Amino acid sequence: MFKPTHTPNNAYRQDYPALSLPQISVIIPVYNGAEYLPAAVASIWEQNYAPLDVIIVDDGSTDATAQVVASLACDPRRAALRYVYQANRGPSAARNRGIRLAQADFVTFLDADDYWLPATLHRHLRYLLAHPAVQGVQGMTHPFRTLAAAPNYPDPADANIPATPPVEWAPITWSPKLDSGLYRRTVFARVGLLNENLRYSEDLDWILRAREQGVTITQLPEVAIAYRRHAHNSTNDLARTERAKFAAIQASLQRRKRTAKPTT
C-alpha cells in the first residue's frame, strides 16, 4: 500500500465530536480483479470510517475473485461487506446493481483495481454535510503504474506516470471517474442510473446527464483516487475509448439542443 502524506483521519472527526457519522455505501464493481481487489478493500478499511456498507458486485469473473472475497471474510470488519455475483453485463450494470442494493444515504464507488488515498471519505463527507445543496463531491485522480504494468501502452503521456509508487503526491488531473467522489443517493433517482449499453465512458455520460439536470457536483483539489494503469485496463483501447468520449459529449449536446428554449 502506498503511504502518501495526508491529513490524519481524526482531523475530520474533530469538527463533529458528538455527531454519529452517517452510513456510506461503497460499491465495488469487479471483473477478473482478484489480483488487485485486496488493495482496494484495504484502502476502504484504512479510511477509518464507520458505519460502512461495502457491496462487491462480481460481474461474471472467471478468475479467483470469489475466493479472494471469501478470504476477506477473515477480517473483523467483514460485517460491513456484502458480495453479489451476476452474469457479465459490463461496468454500468454492476454499478447499477450496487446502487439498487445500497442502504445508505451517501453512495460512492471504487473500481477493484484502484484505491483511495487516506481520509478521502471523511474529507468528502465533511464537504457534503457543510453544503446541503451540493449533490456530489469529487477529488483529483493520480494515475500510477508498476514497473510491469502496460509497458507498451501507446500513450505518450504514460511516460510521465511514475513507474514506482511515489511518496509525495500532488494533484495530477481531474477525471470523470465516479470512484473519485461521494454522492447523495437521491441524486441517482434524479439523474437516473448509468447507461448499461455503454462499456466505455459510462462515468462521463452520467456526469454530463447530471450537469444537464442542474445537479451540483463540486471538485476538490486534493487527490482522492489512485488510478492503476495495467495491461488489462479497458481504456488501453485508445481508439474505442476516444470514440466513446466523443459519443457521450455528442449525445449531451443533442439533448441540450432538444431542451433549449427557442430564442425570440
Side-chain angles (χ1 to χ4, degrees), residues 7-22:
T7 303
N9 294 343
N10 59 12
Y12 296 96
R13 288 183 176 269
Q14 291 171 1
D15 288 351
Y16 307 98
L19 180 66
S20 295
L21 294 173

Side-chain angles (χ1 to χ4, degrees), residues 13 18 42 58 87 101 104 135 141 168 189 199-200 207 215 222 230 264:
R13 288 183 176 269
D58 186 341
L101 292 171
Q135 296 300 304
T141 298
E168 299 292 333
R199 294 265 179 159
Y200 297 85
I207 290 170
V215 170
E222 294 88 359
H230 56 83
T264 55

